[in-house]
Amino acid sequence: MRPQRAQSVLKGTGHGALPPMLEQYVKMRDEVAAQLPHALLLFQVGDFYETFGEDAERAARLLGLALTHKSSKDFSTPMAGIPLRALDGNVEKLLAAGVCVAVADQVEEPGTGLVDRKVTQLLTPGTVTEERHLGVDENYLAAVATGDGYALALLDVSTGEFRCAAFHTRLALYDELSRWRAREVLLAPELAGNGALLADFQARFPVMLSPATFAEEQGRAEVQAALGEVPGTLDTPALVRACGAVLGYARVALQGQLDMVRRVVRFEPGAHMRLADSALRALEVFTPQSPQGVTLMDILCQTRTAGGRRRLRAWLRAPLLDELSIRARLDAVEALTRAADLRAGVRSLLYRAHDLERLAARVATRRATPREVAALARTLDLLPEATRLLDGQAGLLGGVRARLSALPDVVTRIRAALVDDPPIRAGDGGLIRDGFSAELDEVRSGSLAHRAWLAELETTERKRTGIGSLKVSYNAVFGYYLEVTGAHLSKVPADYRQVATLKDRARFTRPDLREREREIARLDAAAARLEALVFTELRDSLAAHAEALAAAAGALSELDVLSALAELAVEGSWVRPHTLPETMIALTQARHPVVERATGGKFVPNDAALDDGRFLLLLTGPNMAGKSTYLRTVAICALLHQIGSFVPADHAHMPVYDAIHTRIGASDDLAGGRSTFMVEMSELAAILHGATARSLVILDEVGRGTSTLDGLAIAQAALEHLHLTRAHTLFATHYFELTRLEAELPGVVNLHVAAEEDARADGGSGLTFYHQVVPGAARHSYGVEVARLAGLPGKVTARAGRLLTALNAGGDDRRLVRELATLDVSRLTPMQALELLHRWQREATGTAEAETAPS
Ligand code: ADP
Ligand code: MG
């Protein structure tokens, strides 16, 4: 039986008995697989972590390791290893690739027999808590279950944030899941078991096929164990199952440590602006479209703490819908923009803060190291000052103040116990202050007395023996010893016992010396034990304040974001938007914050106005004129407004949009690299289904992914549909044919970006962009001019120009045909007929002349 199992894990050859170490490996690998089926086991063998069999092949591929073989008399299996010191870097790589890792360490000194080993760490992408494996950003583990819709649970074990929601449709679930960017998604068996569904999930999210059990009873027990109760908000079996699954999975991965989780927040998916991942990408909120690109987050990230940065990201992902909450944030930001001293004070204080959210979570789980507890004290030390700075503030800032000052004084306790700069580990001693524990002090002074005696020994023995050159030294072999040079050997007293003879000197010891030495070692070990005990007590006493610590941490993060937004507003001359109850937007001199920075002072601000009378803006203009920038400017202002930020404009009146929908045409969708027409159409479909009269819709060159006529037809049909929803729509297009919709559909307004053709010395023409958005449709597409700007050979652009004219003439052909078709010949006089013929001929020759002109 065993060799067979070994065979499947080790994928080796031969049927002989395994060497004992591999037997141990196989057993451990099985145990790990029972908890995390796809985890890779890193197995310490001396100075290396080794992998064997299938794991070795995976590790070699993922980490670029050399694959060797572990062979015995009649068994051989692939093997690949990494040096012990390279563990962290490699674990990071594996986690980034979505691979779970188990680390088995040797837990005793190697002797003659088989070394004992234990799994010391289970690491999964969504549950890592060690700072070195985490970015500063949030790290969510998600679970999805079904039953009367969908239920989602999200847990960030590094901060203890735990939330859940129920959804009616899968699309709504997808929206929310992509909003939170979970590192690991666990699927209930009813989902994972459905091939098509599973494939759909896997195409979008890092799905883990884990054994997390989604059984309702067990879920209830997990929730009960973690939170002390099953809150009433978990009112469906699916919610209980999803919450239970993330907790159970995290509990296994963290080996029981789930104390950072204190409550679950049930959120309403409709409570935030709908902002699909595609919109976040189109607006380059977190990820740039080109590798060196700058994101909105890069500009906004004036936060000073990791917690603040995470909070800002959370706000950007979940803009508010509630007018009062938006106003409350704007009030706080405004207060901070007005009070320069307060802002500067707060920001310099935040600069000195450590990641309080994560420290609080570490304390709650009793995992904090002495150094982390010291960092906690340093950060908490800042709070009284923060509270003072916020004196007299109302609204959100008043709330922040209250949460910061509600913390019991734990700093004094930490300060009293811990030295200023403690070591990382508790076991090595040297972390507890003198005077904190009488017992510890006694042990320490005992050790010190012996050391003092030793320090004096040289002097006393020189006096006693009369040997002026006698020395007391220490080495690892004999411990403390007395050294006498050859000339004085005769003076050595009888109680000295010789332990070594060198060329010109001898070394001695004395029974009482040994005694003292043993006593020092005993007392030092006792002191280290006591220190560890005192530290553990201190840390555990802090865990009792976990709730207040987490609240203070949250308040600090919030303060950080608000003051960062205020700083941005002041530095960039942003303005507070007036929040309007009606659906109407009016921006004066609005700027795109990222492009503005890139163009360094040369940015051309533009106005934007949409309301009931004009809600569908059709923007034409040559390539590179600034159409996409204009569209995004409006959308970014809407996003900023709803996170409670000022906006880059001179004046702003803004509604509360329920969603920002974007569709960026195929060729502009650089980052996705998935510019298939199918994707474009499915996203367009989602917009057409989802847009309401309170939505903002950005359509940029939709229809580019297919042939001109198809694209045009689809674009027009989509516009007509959107027109019915009355959503605020900004549509940038190169289809001039669409501009005539202005005459047909009320609410449609043509705009174009100004550009001017100017004659050039070589007889061709150049193009000047003004980036100014003005009323009316563009005259034509300028495609050929842009091609010339891009450096196409002159012959090619000239030929293109002639072809274009001919094609336009073709348009005239169609007009002639139409005129002919509608003509009632029976009612024409011969004279009229002649005149008509004459005019047609003139028109035809006129275009023919034009065709030969520019060569
Ligand atoms: P389009 O979508 O019309 O092809 P883009 O919006 O992509 O044009 O803009 C092209 C480039 O023009 C931008 O990368 C930016 O450098 C510049 N640009 C766009 N709008 C402005 C503006 N308002 N002021 C200054 N430069 C701008
Ligand atoms: Mg564009």
Side-chain angles (χ1 to χ4, degrees):
M1 182 69 204
R2 208 189 323 103
Q4 264 172 13
R5 181 72 192 113
Q7 189 80 339
S8 69
V9 172
L10 285 179
K11 203 184 176 185
T13 51
H15 295 275
L18 287 175
M21 188 192 73
L22 280 185
E23 224 170 88
Q24 187 191 29
Y25 169 84
V26 169
K27 188 159 161 281
M28 200 166 271
R29 178 73 173 65
D30 282 349
E31 283 165 13
V32 168
Q35 299 186 307
L36 297 172
H38 301 287
L40 195 102
L41 175 61
L42 297 175
F43 190 75
Q44 187 189 357
V45 181
D47 294 336
F48 279 80
Y49 284 111
E50 297 291 357
T51 55
F52 302 101
E54 282 174 5
D55 272 9
E57 288 172 353
R58 269 169 87 204
R61 183 163 41 78
L62 290 164
L63 302 173
L65 306 177
L67 201 59
T68 58
H69 277 82
K70 168 89 181 165
S71 307
S72 64
K73 199 154 73 299
D74 41 18
F75 187 85
S76 173
T77 184
M79 167 167 107
I82 51 170
L84 289 194
R85 63 185 150 67
L87 179 66
D88 282 350
N90 283 294
V91 164
E92 240 152 75
K93 270 193 218 164
L94 291 169
L95 292 175
V99 175
C100 301
V101 183
V103 181
D105 284 300
Q106 295 179 178
V107 292
E108 61 177 9
E109 288 303 310
T112 43
L114 182 64
V115 188
D116 195 17
R117 294 180 173 86
K118 281 211 166 54
V119 173
T120 53
Q121 302 181 66
L122 285 175
L123 298 149
T124 87
T127 61
V128 286
T129 57
E130 298 298 323
E131 207 61 39
R132 60 181 187 279
H133 298 311
L134 279 166
V136 286
D137 295 333
E138 59 290 325
N139 202 54
Y140 291 106
L141 168 70
V144 181
T146 58
D148 196 18
Y150 296 82
L152 167 69
L154 289 156
L155 175 64
D156 181 348
V157 293
S158 74
T159 59
E161 186 191 332
F162 184 27
R163 50 172 79 223
C164 67
F167 304 88
H168 295 302
T169 67
R170 203 162 80 237
L171 279 183
L173 167 76
Y174 284 169
D175 263 9
E176 207 63 32
L177 250 182
S178 58
R179 197 199 283 270
W180 299 101
R181 297 198 181 198
R183 287 275 302 269
E184 236 178 309
V185 180
L186 314 171
L187 291 183
E190 67 269 20
L191 295 162
N194 176 332
L197 258 182
L198 176 63
D200 200 29
F201 268 98
Q202 280 174 328
R204 298 162 192 262
F205 307 108
V207 170
M208 282 283 165
L209 291 179
S210 67
T213 44
F214 279 83
E216 187 182 344
E217 262 330 289
Q218 190 171 342
R220 212 167 275 286
E222 292 284 0
V223 175
Q224 177 80 38
L227 307 179
E229 56 161 354
V230 179
T233 47
L234 303 189
D235 56 7
T236 67
L239 278 167
V240 172
R241 292 169 62 221
C243 289
V246 277
L247 290 173
Y249 186 81
R251 185 175 50 74
V252 168
L254 299 176
Q255 294 160 320
Q257 289 284 2
L258 273 188
D259 293 345
M260 76 295 261
V261 182
R262 284 171 302 272
R263 72 168 83 81
V264 61
V265 175
R266 163 97 184 252
F267 66 98
E268 288 310 313
H272 296 121
M273 176 198 255
R274 283 186 61 198
L275 192 61
D277 196 42
S278 55
L280 289 171
R281 273 190 288 114
L283 301 177
E284 299 184 282
V285 176
F286 299 120
T287 41
Q289 301 241 318
S290 63
Q292 294 85 30
V294 176
T295 64
L296 183 63
M297 184 65 194
D298 291 335
I299 303 278
L300 296 183
C301 201
Q302 292 285 340
T303 47
R304 295 236 151 140
T305 66
R309 186 184 148 92
R310 284 193 297 271
R311 181 64 59 99
L312 175 58
R313 291 171 61 92
W315 285 13
L316 281 166
R317 263 195 301 252
L320 301 173
L321 286 183
D322 171 39
E323 226 180 287
L324 287 180
S325 315
I326 295 173
R327 286 225 174 89
R329 284 191 193 168
L330 284 169
D331 286 343
V333 174
E334 184 173 349
L336 286 161
T337 57
R338 289 178 189 278
D341 287 350
L342 169 61
R343 191 173 71 247
V346 163
R347 289 175 63 71
S348 88
L349 179 142
L350 287 166
Y351 220 50
R352 286 174 278 153
H354 294 260
D355 193 340
L356 192 55
E357 281 178 353
R358 287 203 179 150
L359 287 175
R362 304 274 295 167
V363 164
T365 52
R366 297 167 165 82
R367 288 180 162 214
T369 64
R371 207 164 269 183
E372 285 170 335
V373 172
L376 176 71
R378 271 198 299 281
T379 307
L380 295 181
D381 234 2
L382 303 171
L383 301 192
E385 194 187 332
T387 315
R388 240 187 343 271
L389 281 167
L390 294 172
D391 262 346
Q393 294 292 337
L396 282 191
L397 293 177
V400 165
R401 184 184 182 283
R403 275 178 289 159
L404 291 181
S405 54
L407 206 66
D409 189 20
V410 295
V411 182
T412 344
R413 189 144 18 113
I414 299 175
R415 282 280 148 78
L418 222 53
V419 300
D420 286 341
D421 212 352
I424 296 185
R425 279 165 35 89
D428 302 338
L431 55 138
I432 303 298
R433 260 183 223 284
D434 286 336
F436 183 75
S437 150
E439 199 184 351
L440 178 60
D441 287 350
E442 197 181 315
V443 174
R444 275 182 178 161
S445 66
S447 165
L448 278 177
H450 290 301
R451 285 172 194 273
W453 181 86
L454 274 170
E456 284 295 303
L457 188 62
E458 205 168 84
T459 326
T460 46
E461 286 304 288
R462 280 182 187 175
K463 231 182 251 157
R464 178 163 82 102
T465 60
I467 307 171
S469 60
L470 181 144
K471 269 203 309 205
V472 175
S473 305
Y474 179 89
N475 78 18
V477 185
F478 338 112
Y480 290 95
Y481 60 86
L482 302 137
E483 193 174 86
V484 177
T485 50
H488 301 287
L489 282 178
S490 58
K491 294 187 218 159
V492 166
D495 56 349
Y496 281 25
R497 196 162 55 76
Q498 188 155 346
V499 287
T501 317
L502 284 79
K503 211 166 38 200
D504 58 341
R505 66 194 66 194
R507 289 174 178 173
F508 302 88
T509 179
R510 262 178 18 189
D512 61 336
L513 207 54
R514 275 275 189 253
E515 195 58 36
R516 297 266 181 182
E517 205 183 310
R518 267 196 295 276
E519 199 51 18
I520 289 174
R522 189 185 66 78
L523 289 170
D524 285 355
R529 260 198 315 279
L530 268 175
E531 288 203 53
L533 210 66
V534 170
F535 176 72
T536 309
E537 259 171 33
L538 171 70
R539 186 170 63 184
D540 291 357
S541 76
L542 295 177
H545 303 298
E547 186 86 41
L549 280 172
L556 210 60
S557 301
E558 198 173 317
L559 182 61
D560 192 8
V561 180
L562 293 169
S563 58
L565 292 178
E567 185 75 16
L568 275 166
V570 171
E571 299 219 315
S573 306
W574 293 11
V575 67
R576 175 179 178 153
H578 297 279
T579 310
L580 301 177
E582 69 269 30
T583 314
M584 172 203 149
I585 180 169
L587 297 172
T588 324
Q589 301 287 288
R591 285 104 59 190
H592 187 302
V594 178
V595 180
E596 182 180 26
R597 182 166 301 185
T599 48
K602 296 222 178 73
F603 192 85
V604 180
N606 276 299
D607 297 350
L610 292 100
D611 55 37
D612 276 355
R614 42 180 285 153
F615 53 85
L616 203 160
L617 305 186
L618 212 56
L619 185 62
T620 43
N623 271 314
M624 295 302 290
K627 299 187 297 299
S628 301
T629 307
Y630 182 73
L631 264 47
R632 287 177 169 94
T633 301
V634 176
I636 286 174
C637 285
L639 173 61
L640 287 173
H641 169 228
Q642 284 175 250
I643 68 166
S645 168
F646 282 26
V647 297
D650 286 356
H651 296 281
H653 286 83
M654 312 194 73
V656 177
Y657 288 116
D658 65 0
I660 297 178
H661 296 287
T662 62
R663 176 55 226 172
I664 306 296
S667 66
D668 275 13
D669 188 5
L670 303 173
R674 23 169 248 156
S675 54
T676 70
F677 186 59
M678 252 325 268
V679 173
E680 177 171 349
M681 287 303 112
S682 64
E683 287 191 16
L684 184 59
I687 294 174
L688 296 184
H689 285 301
T692 74
R694 302 233 13 140
S695 306
L696 177 64
V697 179
I698 300 294
L699 298 175
D700 196 351
E701 310 274 14
V702 163
R704 252 197 197 174
T706 183
S707 78
T708 311
L709 281 181
D710 279 5
L712 174 59
I714 289 166
Q716 177 165 345
L719 272 186
E720 286 169 359
H721 181 97
L722 274 172
H723 181 260
L724 289 177
T725 68
R726 305 181 73 83
H728 279 188
T729 304
L730 289 136
F731 194 113
T733 184
H734 57 288
Y735 294 127
F736 293 90
E737 296 82 345
L738 291 177
T739 55
R740 66 187 156 68
L741 286 177
E742 183 181 51
E744 293 169 18
L745 300 174
V748 175
V749 171
N750 282 327
L751 298 175
H752 72 278
V753 193
E756 202 164 83
E757 254 180 290
D758 35 35
R760 290 186 328 189
D762 61 6
S765 60
L767 200 54
T768 308
F769 296 124
Y770 298 112
H771 304 304
Q772 192 77 55
V773 176
V774 289
R779 265 186 308 125
H780 59 98
S781 81
Y782 303 96
V784 178
E785 288 80 358
V786 174
R788 188 164 21 234
L789 279 183
L792 234 58
K795 281 211 164 116
V796 176
T797 50
R799 168 75 181 140
R802 283 196 301 278
L803 283 173
L804 186 66
T805 322
L807 287 172
N808 283 337
D812 282 351
D813 288 352
R814 277 198 297 281
R815 193 175 53 72
L816 289 182
V817 171
R818 206 162 47 229
E819 211 174 325
L820 194 58
T822 54
L823 202 66
D824 191 350
V825 182
S826 61
R827 300 180 65 180
L828 284 180
T829 63
M831 192 57 203
Q832 282 171 325
L834 250 173
E835 271 170 10
L836 245 182
L837 269 177
H838 189 65
R839 174 160 70 80
W840 285 346
Q841 191 183 39
R842 254 202 336 266
E843 280 176 19
T845 51
T847 53
E849 273 162 26
E851 194 191 351
T852 51
S855 64

